[in-house]
Amino acid sequence: MTSPVQAYYRHDHGDKPVLLQSPGDVDALIDALLVSGPSENLASLHSLERPLMPAGFPDHELLVGAKGDLQLGVLAFTDEDVLVSFDPSAGRPEASYSIMGSATEFPSCSEIPIPLVRQAVKEFLLSGGRQPTCIEWQEPEFW
């Protein structure tokens, strides 16, 4: 059995995050992001299997964004390092995604096809919050 992952992506999730407990829940999250407006197309995920830091905050974060019009998305994984998804064939310029109206800029070549976004988030869920290995990563120059 997997440990749930908390997902925050709407204003009302501040006190009540959505719990992802199965691959189907991951698909539902990404489907919701795909049809969301530009102010709510990014989610912050935390696995409940990973430890909390002494201050009570998660020791990691997976950001997942999805744009329905492009059928592309982004990922950023943070623990000791910060890594962003990478697709050298995409070559698209920087991309902006927003969580609860707050924009985050992602570097060029960070957008990847939605099927890979789905696969990576499912891997995060099933691995107990580990960095997904099914995609390529890059270290962003800024963040």
Side-chain angles (χ1 to χ4, degrees):
M1 178 186 247
T2 61
S3 289
V5 167
Q6 292 180 323
Y8 301 87
Y9 57 100
R10 301 280 187 261
H11 285 287
D12 59 333
H13 294 164
D15 295 328
K16 284 183 67 175
V18 172
L19 286 181
L20 309 178
Q21 301 183 73
S22 70
D25 293 341
V26 170
D27 285 332
L29 164 71
I30 293 170
D31 290 345
L33 294 174
L34 284 168
V35 298
S36 293
S39 67
E40 293 185 324
N41 61 4
L42 184 66
S44 173
L45 309 181
H46 303 105
S47 173
L48 296 179
E49 192 167 316
R50 300 252 324 226
L52 296 176
M53 295 188 304
F57 297 104
D59 72 340
H60 68 290
E61 179 178 55
L62 180 69
L63 292 177
V64 56
K67 290 184 177 177
D69 59 336
L70 300 174
Q71 288 299 299
L72 293 173
V74 292
L75 296 163
F77 183 79
T78 305
D79 58 4
E80 289 125 20
D81 299 310
V82 175
L83 298 171
V84 177
S85 50
F86 181 62
D87 183 355
S89 67
R92 286 181 39 83
E94 294 82 12
S96 180
Y97 288 76
S98 296
I99 184 168
M100 298 181 219
S102 179
T104 299
E105 301 296 323
F106 288 82
S108 64
C109 299
S110 61
E111 290 180 303
I112 62 175
I114 290 300
L116 278 176
V117 172
R118 290 181 192 279
Q119 183 180 351
V121 177
K122 289 173 185 177
E123 184 180 338
F124 177 78
L125 170 72
L126 297 173
S127 71
R130 299 198 191 293
Q131 175 189 333
T133 59
C134 64
I135 65 165
E136 290 187 60
W137 295 96
Q138 63 180 317
E139 290 184 33
E141 291 181 27
F142 62 89
W143 264 39

